[in-house]
Amino acid sequence: MGTISYDHPDPSIFTVLTCPSSIPGEAVADFAIFPPRWMVAEQTFRPPYFHRNVMSEFMGMIYGCYDAKEGFRPGGSSLHCCMTAHGPDSATFEKASNSTLQPEKFQGGLAFMFETSAILKATPLALKAEWRDRNYSDCWTGLNRRFKGPLTPGQSG
């Protein structure tokens, strides 16, 4: 991966396998890995930003830890279906927002992502599993609101 001076790199640069569809710019499926890498972005937020996708994301941890979510352990996975908002947990957000930005080599883990334009659905077995994290959304507890609603006509920012 080349240097990215500003902003978090789009995950698509980590794509190692893709299955194109008949629609330009839309894949049936992409497979990406997030290997050890240098993080050198300046004056920005380095972890993946908060976002929603048109595609569904299934992410898994192979070894080590993930740089955007505490507690995401090897063998763990997450599923964010189409248009489900997600991003770093509150602890990662606070750490990244208050750290001094210097080049840093992340070599603490290996994660993968399978992304598809298809709608994915968890099986009944997965939904009933005792190891399922039923409090997954709690990782965003403690995030303070940082944006105000849209400006009204005549109002300045």
Side-chain angles (χ1 to χ4, degrees):
M1 177 174 98
T3 61
I4 306 297
S5 296
Y6 297 95
D7 209 358
H8 173 77
D10 187 282
S12 64
I13 66 172
F14 296 107
T15 301
V16 294
L17 183 64
T18 190
C19 177
S21 73
S22 59
I23 302 168
E26 181 181 307
V28 171
D30 287 329
F31 182 73
I33 60 166
F34 303 101
R37 61 202 172 275
W38 278 98
M39 295 188 288
V40 297
E42 302 171 345
Q43 302 172 6
T44 194
F45 185 72
R46 286 184 178 169
Y49 39 84
F50 297 95
H51 63 286
R52 296 173 191 224
N53 298 335
V54 173
M55 296 178 78
S56 296
E57 289 181 354
F58 176 78
M59 190 157 179
M61 198 70 220
I62 297 171
Y63 70 80
C65 60
Y66 184 55
D67 59 327
K69 183 109 27 198
E70 290 188 1
F72 195 48
R73 295 185 290 271
S77 61
S78 65
L79 174 61
H80 296 114
C81 291
C82 174
M83 299 310 288
T84 303
H86 58 288
D89 60 27
S90 55
T92 301
F93 177 84
E94 289 302 324
K95 180 181 173 187
S97 297
N98 297 300
S99 65
T100 302
L101 294 179
Q102 297 179 355
E104 175 185 346
K105 187 167 188 181
F106 177 77
Q107 48 190 359
L110 179 64
F112 71 88
M113 181 173 66
F114 170 78
E115 187 175 62
T116 178
S117 55
I119 301 296
L120 299 179
K121 182 179 176 184
T123 66
L125 180 65
L127 292 173
K128 293 176 185 173
E130 64 182 62
W131 38 259
R132 178 178 159 222
D133 184 356
R134 298 183 187 284
N135 301 312
Y136 179 75
S137 62
D138 289 352
C139 71
W140 295 293
T141 300
L143 282 172
N144 295 319
R145 185 179 179 136
R146 305 214 183 251
F147 301 97
K148 296 183 172 97
L151 297 175
T152 57
Q155 186 181 21
S156 63

